[in-house]
PDB file of all heavy atoms in Angstrom:
ATOM      1  N   PRO B   1       5.771  13.906  -4.074  1.00  0.00           N
ATOM      2  CA  PRO B   1       5.227  12.586  -4.458  1.00  0.00           C
ATOM      3  C   PRO B   1       6.149  11.478  -3.978  1.00  0.00           C
ATOM      4  O   PRO B   1       7.379  11.647  -3.906  1.00  0.00           O
ATOM      5  CB  PRO B   1       5.176  12.653  -5.981  1.00  0.00           C
ATOM      6  CG  PRO B   1       6.198  13.680  -6.349  1.00  0.00           C
ATOM      7  CD  PRO B   1       6.195  14.687  -5.240  1.00  0.00           C
ATOM      8  N   LEU B   2       5.548  10.341  -3.608  1.00  0.00           N
ATOM      9  CA  LEU B   2       6.342   9.226  -3.091  1.00  0.00           C
ATOM     10  C   LEU B   2       7.261   8.665  -4.153  1.00  0.00           C
ATOM     11  O   LEU B   2       8.405   8.312  -3.894  1.00  0.00           O
ATOM     12  CB  LEU B   2       5.408   8.138  -2.560  1.00  0.00           C
ATOM     13  CG  LEU B   2       4.554   8.549  -1.358  1.00  0.00           C
ATOM     14  CD1 LEU B   2       3.580   7.444  -1.026  1.00  0.00           C
ATOM     15  CD2 LEU B   2       5.428   8.879  -0.175  1.00  0.00           C
ATOM     16  N   SER B   3       6.756   8.540  -5.339  1.00  0.00           N
ATOM     17  CA  SER B   3       7.568   7.973  -6.411  1.00  0.00           C
ATOM     18  C   SER B   3       6.937   8.333  -7.735  1.00  0.00           C
ATOM     19  O   SER B   3       5.724   8.539  -7.835  1.00  0.00           O
ATOM     20  CB  SER B   3       7.678   6.452  -6.256  1.00  0.00           C
ATOM     21  OG  SER B   3       8.389   5.898  -7.338  1.00  0.00           O
ATOM     22  N   THR B   4       7.756   8.391  -8.713  1.00  0.00           N
ATOM     23  CA  THR B   4       7.260   8.652 -10.073  1.00  0.00           C
ATOM     24  C   THR B   4       7.311   7.401 -10.932  1.00  0.00           C
ATOM     25  O   THR B   4       7.101   7.467 -12.124  1.00  0.00           O
ATOM     26  CB  THR B   4       8.093   9.764 -10.722  1.00  0.00           C
ATOM     27  OG1 THR B   4       9.461   9.361 -10.759  1.00  0.00           O
ATOM     28  CG2 THR B   4       7.964  11.062  -9.954  1.00  0.00           C
ATOM     29  N   GLU B   5       7.610   6.270 -10.286  1.00  0.00           N
ATOM     30  CA  GLU B   5       7.724   5.037 -11.047  1.00  0.00           C
ATOM     31  C   GLU B   5       6.347   4.503 -11.418  1.00  0.00           C
ATOM     32  O   GLU B   5       5.375   4.694 -10.696  1.00  0.00           O
ATOM     33  CB  GLU B   5       8.487   3.993 -10.237  1.00  0.00           C
ATOM     34  CG  GLU B   5       7.838   3.667  -8.909  1.00  0.00           C
ATOM     35  CD  GLU B   5       8.712   2.783  -8.059  1.00  0.00           C
ATOM     36  OE1 GLU B   5       9.337   1.881  -8.618  1.00  0.00           O
ATOM     37  OE2 GLU B   5       8.758   2.999  -6.848  1.00  0.00           O
ATOM     38  N   SER B   6       6.259   3.846 -12.523  1.00  0.00           N
ATOM     39  CA  SER B   6       4.983   3.319 -12.994  1.00  0.00           C
ATOM     40  C   SER B   6       5.013   1.802 -13.119  1.00  0.00           C
ATOM     41  O   SER B   6       3.979   1.191 -13.372  1.00  0.00           O
ATOM     42  CB  SER B   6       4.621   3.949 -14.350  1.00  0.00           C
ATOM     43  OG  SER B   6       5.645   3.678 -15.307  1.00  0.00           O
ATOM     44  N   GLU B   7       6.179   1.183 -12.967  1.00  0.00           N
ATOM     45  CA  GLU B   7       6.262  -0.267 -13.092  1.00  0.00           C
ATOM     46  C   GLU B   7       5.824  -0.933 -11.797  1.00  0.00           C
ATOM     47  O   GLU B   7       6.124  -0.458 -10.712  1.00  0.00           O
ATOM     48  CB  GLU B   7       7.692  -0.677 -13.437  1.00  0.00           C
ATOM     49  CG  GLU B   7       8.161  -0.195 -14.797  1.00  0.00           C
ATOM     50  CD  GLU B   7       9.546  -0.698 -15.133  1.00  0.00           C
ATOM     51  OE1 GLU B   7      10.141  -1.363 -14.258  1.00  0.00           O
ATOM     52  OE2 GLU B   7      10.015  -0.443 -16.247  1.00  0.00           O
ATOM     53  N   GLY B   8       5.138  -2.035 -11.926  1.00  0.00           N
ATOM     54  CA  GLY B   8       4.635  -2.754 -10.769  1.00  0.00           C
ATOM     55  C   GLY B   8       3.152  -2.994 -10.908  1.00  0.00           C
ATOM     56  O   GLY B   8       2.575  -2.916 -12.002  1.00  0.00           O
ATOM     57  N   ILE B   9       2.508  -3.299  -9.766  1.00  0.00           N
ATOM     58  CA  ILE B   9       1.076  -3.554  -9.770  1.00  0.00           C
ATOM     59  C   ILE B   9       0.446  -2.768  -8.629  1.00  0.00           C
ATOM     60  O   ILE B   9       1.020  -2.641  -7.543  1.00  0.00           O
ATOM     61  CB  ILE B   9       0.783  -5.069  -9.623  1.00  0.00           C
ATOM     62  CG1 ILE B   9      -0.710  -5.337  -9.780  1.00  0.00           C
ATOM     63  CG2 ILE B   9       1.305  -5.608  -8.308  1.00  0.00           C
ATOM     64  CD1 ILE B   9      -1.054  -6.810  -9.830  1.00  0.00           C
ATOM     65  N   ARG B  10      -0.727  -2.223  -8.888  1.00  0.00           N
ATOM     66  CA  ARG B  10      -1.467  -1.467  -7.885  1.00  0.00           C
ATOM     67  C   ARG B  10      -2.649  -2.308  -7.420  1.00  0.00           C
ATOM     68  O   ARG B  10      -3.345  -2.912  -8.233  1.00  0.00           O
ATOM     69  CB  ARG B  10      -1.928  -0.122  -8.445  1.00  0.00           C
ATOM     70  CG  ARG B  10      -0.798   0.879  -8.556  1.00  0.00           C
ATOM     71  CD  ARG B  10      -1.226   2.172  -9.247  1.00  0.00           C
ATOM     72  NE  ARG B  10      -0.191   3.186  -9.133  1.00  0.00           N
ATOM     73  CZ  ARG B  10       0.864   3.269  -9.925  1.00  0.00           C
ATOM     74  NH1 ARG B  10       1.031   2.389 -10.904  1.00  0.00           N
ATOM     75  NH2 ARG B  10       1.752   4.232  -9.748  1.00  0.00           N
ATOM     76  N   LEU B  11      -2.871  -2.287  -6.111  1.00  0.00           N
ATOM     77  CA  LEU B  11      -3.922  -3.093  -5.490  1.00  0.00           C
ATOM     78  C   LEU B  11      -4.781  -2.211  -4.598  1.00  0.00           C
ATOM     79  O   LEU B  11      -4.311  -1.200  -4.058  1.00  0.00           O
ATOM     80  CB  LEU B  11      -3.321  -4.235  -4.658  1.00  0.00           C
ATOM     81  CG  LEU B  11      -2.321  -5.157  -5.358  1.00  0.00           C
ATOM     82  CD1 LEU B  11      -1.696  -6.107  -4.359  1.00  0.00           C
ATOM     83  CD2 LEU B  11      -2.996  -5.939  -6.485  1.00  0.00           C
ATOM     84  N   ASN B  12      -6.023  -2.603  -4.418  1.00  0.00           N
ATOM     85  CA  ASN B  12      -6.944  -1.938  -3.500  1.00  0.00           C
ATOM     86  C   ASN B  12      -7.162  -2.833  -2.291  1.00  0.00           C
ATOM     87  O   ASN B  12      -7.607  -3.984  -2.429  1.00  0.00           O
ATOM     88  CB  ASN B  12      -8.280  -1.640  -4.187  1.00  0.00           C
ATOM     89  CG  ASN B  12      -8.178  -0.491  -5.165  1.00  0.00           C
ATOM     90  OD1 ASN B  12      -7.446   0.471  -4.924  1.00  0.00           O
ATOM     91  ND2 ASN B  12      -8.904  -0.579  -6.274  1.00  0.00           N
ATOM     92  N   LEU B  13      -6.843  -2.312  -1.115  1.00  0.00           N
ATOM     93  CA  LEU B  13      -7.014  -3.045   0.133  1.00  0.00           C
ATOM     94  C   LEU B  13      -8.126  -2.389   0.939  1.00  0.00           C
ATOM     95  O   LEU B  13      -8.165  -1.155   1.061  1.00  0.00           O
ATOM     96  CB  LEU B  13      -5.715  -3.054   0.948  1.00  0.00           C
ATOM     97  CG  LEU B  13      -4.442  -3.529   0.227  1.00  0.00           C
ATOM     98  CD1 LEU B  13      -3.269  -3.519   1.194  1.00  0.00           C
ATOM     99  CD2 LEU B  13      -4.637  -4.913  -0.362  1.00  0.00           C
ATOM    100  N   PHE B  14      -9.013  -3.201   1.515  1.00  0.00           N
ATOM    101  CA  PHE B  14     -10.138  -2.702   2.296  1.00  0.00           C
ATOM    102  C   PHE B  14      -9.982  -3.170   3.735  1.00  0.00           C
ATOM    103  O   PHE B  14      -9.893  -4.376   3.997  1.00  0.00           O
ATOM    104  CB  PHE B  14     -11.467  -3.185   1.709  1.00  0.00           C
ATOM    105  CG  PHE B  14     -11.755  -2.641   0.336  1.00  0.00           C
ATOM    106  CD1 PHE B  14     -11.340  -3.326  -0.801  1.00  0.00           C
ATOM    107  CD2 PHE B  14     -12.416  -1.439   0.186  1.00  0.00           C
ATOM    108  CE1 PHE B  14     -11.594  -2.827  -2.063  1.00  0.00           C
ATOM    109  CE2 PHE B  14     -12.673  -0.928  -1.078  1.00  0.00           C
ATOM    110  CZ  PHE B  14     -12.264  -1.620  -2.202  1.00  0.00           C
ATOM    111  N   SER B  15      -9.946  -2.207   4.654  1.00  0.00           N
ATOM    112  CA  SER B  15      -9.774  -2.499   6.071  1.00  0.00           C
ATOM    113  C   SER B  15     -11.094  -2.225   6.790  1.00  0.00           C
ATOM    114  O   SER B  15     -11.618  -1.102   6.740  1.00  0.00           O
ATOM    115  CB  SER B  15      -8.656  -1.635   6.667  1.00  0.00           C
ATOM    116  OG  SER B  15      -8.582  -1.803   8.058  1.00  0.00           O
ATOM    117  N   TYR B  16     -11.622  -3.254   7.464  1.00  0.00           N
ATOM    118  CA  TYR B  16     -12.876  -3.121   8.194  1.00  0.00           C
ATOM    119  C   TYR B  16     -12.653  -2.949   9.690  1.00  0.00           C
ATOM    120  O   TYR B  16     -13.592  -2.696  10.423  1.00  0.00           O
ATOM    121  CB  TYR B  16     -13.757  -4.349   7.941  1.00  0.00           C
ATOM    122  CG  TYR B  16     -14.113  -4.533   6.487  1.00  0.00           C
ATOM    123  CD1 TYR B  16     -13.316  -5.308   5.641  1.00  0.00           C
ATOM    124  CD2 TYR B  16     -15.223  -3.919   5.947  1.00  0.00           C
ATOM    125  CE1 TYR B  16     -13.634  -5.474   4.299  1.00  0.00           C
ATOM    126  CE2 TYR B  16     -15.555  -4.075   4.594  1.00  0.00           C
ATOM    127  CZ  TYR B  16     -14.750  -4.851   3.785  1.00  0.00           C
ATOM    128  OH  TYR B  16     -15.065  -4.996   2.460  1.00  0.00           O
ATOM    129  N   LYS B  17     -11.429  -3.105  10.134  1.00  0.00           N
ATOM    130  CA  LYS B  17     -11.084  -2.921  11.545  1.00  0.00           C
ATOM    131  C   LYS B  17      -9.737  -2.220  11.620  1.00  0.00           C
ATOM    132  O   LYS B  17      -8.983  -2.199  10.659  1.00  0.00           O
ATOM    133  CB  LYS B  17     -11.002  -4.266  12.282  1.00  0.00           C
ATOM    134  CG  LYS B  17     -12.309  -5.014  12.392  1.00  0.00           C
ATOM    135  CD  LYS B  17     -12.111  -6.307  13.175  1.00  0.00           C
ATOM    136  CE  LYS B  17     -13.406  -7.082  13.300  1.00  0.00           C
ATOM    137  NZ  LYS B  17     -13.211  -8.362  14.054  1.00  0.00           N
ATOM    138  N   GLY B  18      -9.448  -1.689  12.794  1.00  0.00           N
ATOM    139  CA  GLY B  18      -8.144  -1.094  13.007  1.00  0.00           C
ATOM    140  C   GLY B  18      -8.117   0.383  12.674  1.00  0.00           C
ATOM    141  O   GLY B  18      -9.058   0.963  12.099  1.00  0.00           O
ATOM    142  N   ALA B  19      -6.995   1.030  13.023  1.00  0.00           N
ATOM    143  CA  ALA B  19      -6.825   2.457  12.811  1.00  0.00           C
ATOM    144  C   ALA B  19      -6.355   2.742  11.393  1.00  0.00           C
ATOM    145  O   ALA B  19      -5.903   1.855  10.673  1.00  0.00           O
ATOM    146  CB  ALA B  19      -5.811   3.016  13.824  1.00  0.00           C
ATOM    147  N   LYS B  20      -6.456   4.011  11.028  1.00  0.00           N
ATOM    148  CA  LYS B  20      -6.088   4.447   9.679  1.00  0.00           C
ATOM    149  C   LYS B  20      -4.568   4.532   9.554  1.00  0.00           C
ATOM    150  O   LYS B  20      -3.867   4.983  10.457  1.00  0.00           O
ATOM    151  CB  LYS B  20      -6.736   5.788   9.396  1.00  0.00           C
ATOM    152  CG  LYS B  20      -6.244   6.480   8.135  1.00  0.00           C
ATOM    153  CD  LYS B  20      -6.911   7.822   7.978  1.00  0.00           C
ATOM    154  CE  LYS B  20      -6.247   8.647   6.880  1.00  0.00           C
ATOM    155  NZ  LYS B  20      -4.880   9.030   7.226  1.00  0.00           N
ATOM    156  N   LEU B  21      -4.073   4.107   8.394  1.00  0.00           N
ATOM    157  CA  LEU B  21      -2.662   4.243   8.052  1.00  0.00           C
ATOM    158  C   LEU B  21      -2.487   5.432   7.112  1.00  0.00           C
ATOM    159  O   LEU B  21      -3.406   5.792   6.378  1.00  0.00           O
ATOM    160  CB  LEU B  21      -2.144   2.963   7.390  1.00  0.00           C
ATOM    161  CG  LEU B  21      -2.248   1.676   8.223  1.00  0.00           C
ATOM    162  CD1 LEU B  21      -1.786   0.488   7.395  1.00  0.00           C
ATOM    163  CD2 LEU B  21      -1.422   1.788   9.493  1.00  0.00           C
ATOM    164  N   ASP B  22      -1.304   6.021   7.127  1.00  0.00           N
ATOM    165  CA  ASP B  22      -1.043   7.214   6.327  1.00  0.00           C
ATOM    166  C   ASP B  22      -0.452   6.849   4.968  1.00  0.00           C
ATOM    167  O   ASP B  22       0.049   5.741   4.761  1.00  0.00           O
ATOM    168  CB  ASP B  22      -0.082   8.151   7.071  1.00  0.00           C
ATOM    169  CG  ASP B  22      -0.696   8.684   8.355  1.00  0.00           C
ATOM    170  OD1 ASP B  22      -1.928   8.847   8.391  1.00  0.00           O
ATOM    171  OD2 ASP B  22       0.051   8.922   9.319  1.00  0.00           O
ATOM    172  N   VAL B  23      -0.488   7.820   4.083  1.00  0.00           N
ATOM    173  CA  VAL B  23       0.156   7.668   2.783  1.00  0.00           C
ATOM    174  C   VAL B  23       1.668   7.542   2.986  1.00  0.00           C
ATOM    175  O   VAL B  23       2.269   8.257   3.782  1.00  0.00           O
ATOM    176  CB  VAL B  23      -0.164   8.870   1.884  1.00  0.00           C
ATOM    177  CG1 VAL B  23       0.628   8.801   0.587  1.00  0.00           C
ATOM    178  CG2 VAL B  23      -1.648   8.934   1.596  1.00  0.00           C
ATOM    179  N   GLY B  24       2.268   6.632   2.263  1.00  0.00           N
ATOM    180  CA  GLY B  24       3.706   6.405   2.386  1.00  0.00           C
ATOM    181  C   GLY B  24       4.079   5.251   3.284  1.00  0.00           C
ATOM    182  O   GLY B  24       5.267   4.909   3.380  1.00  0.00           O
ATOM    183  N   VAL B  25       3.095   4.649   3.962  1.00  0.00           N
ATOM    184  CA  VAL B  25       3.390   3.498   4.830  1.00  0.00           C
ATOM    185  C   VAL B  25       3.950   2.362   3.974  1.00  0.00           C
ATOM    186  O   VAL B  25       3.385   2.039   2.916  1.00  0.00           O
ATOM    187  CB  VAL B  25       2.117   3.061   5.574  1.00  0.00           C
ATOM    188  CG1 VAL B  25       2.308   1.706   6.236  1.00  0.00           C
ATOM    189  CG2 VAL B  25       1.733   4.101   6.613  1.00  0.00           C
ATOM    190  N   PRO B  26       5.043   1.746   4.374  1.00  0.00           N
ATOM    191  CA  PRO B  26       5.659   0.704   3.536  1.00  0.00           C
ATOM    192  C   PRO B  26       4.866  -0.593   3.545  1.00  0.00           C
ATOM    193  O   PRO B  26       4.144  -0.903   4.509  1.00  0.00           O
ATOM    194  CB  PRO B  26       7.042   0.516   4.169  1.00  0.00           C
ATOM    195  CG  PRO B  26       6.860   0.915   5.594  1.00  0.00           C
ATOM    196  CD  PRO B  26       5.843   2.023   5.590  1.00  0.00           C
ATOM    197  N   VAL B  27       5.019  -1.352   2.488  1.00  0.00           N
ATOM    198  CA  VAL B  27       4.445  -2.696   2.364  1.00  0.00           C
ATOM    199  C   VAL B  27       5.614  -3.677   2.335  1.00  0.00           C
ATOM    200  O   VAL B  27       6.562  -3.496   1.558  1.00  0.00           O
ATOM    201  CB  VAL B  27       3.589  -2.827   1.090  1.00  0.00           C
ATOM    202  CG1 VAL B  27       3.027  -4.243   0.970  1.00  0.00           C
ATOM    203  CG2 VAL B  27       2.463  -1.806   1.104  1.00  0.00           C
ATOM    204  N   HIS B  28       5.549  -4.714   3.193  1.00  0.00           N
ATOM    205  CA  HIS B  28       6.661  -5.652   3.342  1.00  0.00           C
ATOM    206  C   HIS B  28       6.243  -7.055   2.910  1.00  0.00           C
ATOM    207  O   HIS B  28       5.060  -7.424   2.974  1.00  0.00           O
ATOM    208  CB  HIS B  28       7.142  -5.711   4.794  1.00  0.00           C
ATOM    209  CG  HIS B  28       7.725  -4.423   5.294  1.00  0.00           C
ATOM    210  ND1 HIS B  28       6.974  -3.473   5.932  1.00  0.00           N
ATOM    211  CD2 HIS B  28       8.998  -3.933   5.234  1.00  0.00           C
ATOM    212  CE1 HIS B  28       7.739  -2.448   6.261  1.00  0.00           C
ATOM    213  NE2 HIS B  28       8.965  -2.698   5.848  1.00  0.00           N
ATOM    214  N   PHE B  29       7.242  -7.778   2.473  1.00  0.00           N
ATOM    215  CA  PHE B  29       7.104  -9.218   2.249  1.00  0.00           C
ATOM    216  C   PHE B  29       8.276  -9.888   2.956  1.00  0.00           C
ATOM    217  O   PHE B  29       9.427  -9.695   2.573  1.00  0.00           O
ATOM    218  CB  PHE B  29       7.118  -9.550   0.748  1.00  0.00           C
ATOM    219  CG  PHE B  29       6.971 -11.018   0.448  1.00  0.00           C
ATOM    220  CD1 PHE B  29       5.727 -11.611   0.438  1.00  0.00           C
ATOM    221  CD2 PHE B  29       8.082 -11.812   0.201  1.00  0.00           C
ATOM    222  CE1 PHE B  29       5.581 -12.966   0.163  1.00  0.00           C
ATOM    223  CE2 PHE B  29       7.954 -13.156  -0.065  1.00  0.00           C
ATOM    224  CZ  PHE B  29       6.700 -13.744  -0.079  1.00  0.00           C
ATOM    225  N   ARG B  30       7.959 -10.639   4.024  1.00  0.00           N
ATOM    226  CA  ARG B  30       8.973 -11.279   4.861  1.00  0.00           C
ATOM    227  C   ARG B  30       9.999 -10.277   5.393  1.00  0.00           C
ATOM    228  O   ARG B  30      11.207 -10.525   5.427  1.00  0.00           O
ATOM    229  CB  ARG B  30       9.684 -12.400   4.106  1.00  0.00           C
ATOM    230  CG  ARG B  30       8.762 -13.558   3.735  1.00  0.00           C
ATOM    231  CD  ARG B  30       9.535 -14.654   3.026  1.00  0.00           C
ATOM    232  NE  ARG B  30       8.646 -15.760   2.653  1.00  0.00           N
ATOM    233  CZ  ARG B  30       9.044 -16.827   1.975  1.00  0.00           C
ATOM    234  NH1 ARG B  30      10.317 -16.939   1.604  1.00  0.00           N
ATOM    235  NH2 ARG B  30       8.185 -17.786   1.659  1.00  0.00           N
TER     236      ARG B  30
END
């Protein structure tokens, strides 16, 4: 499992174009 942490917020993102990303791909801010 990537992480066992439960703190934070979960979001659903919908992609209508582009290739598929895999589980574990990082999310960045700046």
Side-chain angles (χ1 to χ4, degrees):
L2 296 174
S3 176
T4 59
E5 59 188 320
S6 59
E7 295 184 356
I9 186 172
R10 285 174 170 83
L11 307 173
N12 286 324
L13 307 182
F14 295 90
S15 174
Y16 299 91
K17 294 182 180 179
K20 169 182 169 293
L21 301 176
D22 296 329
V23 174
V25 168
V27 179
H28 295 92
F29 180 82
R30 296 182 181 177

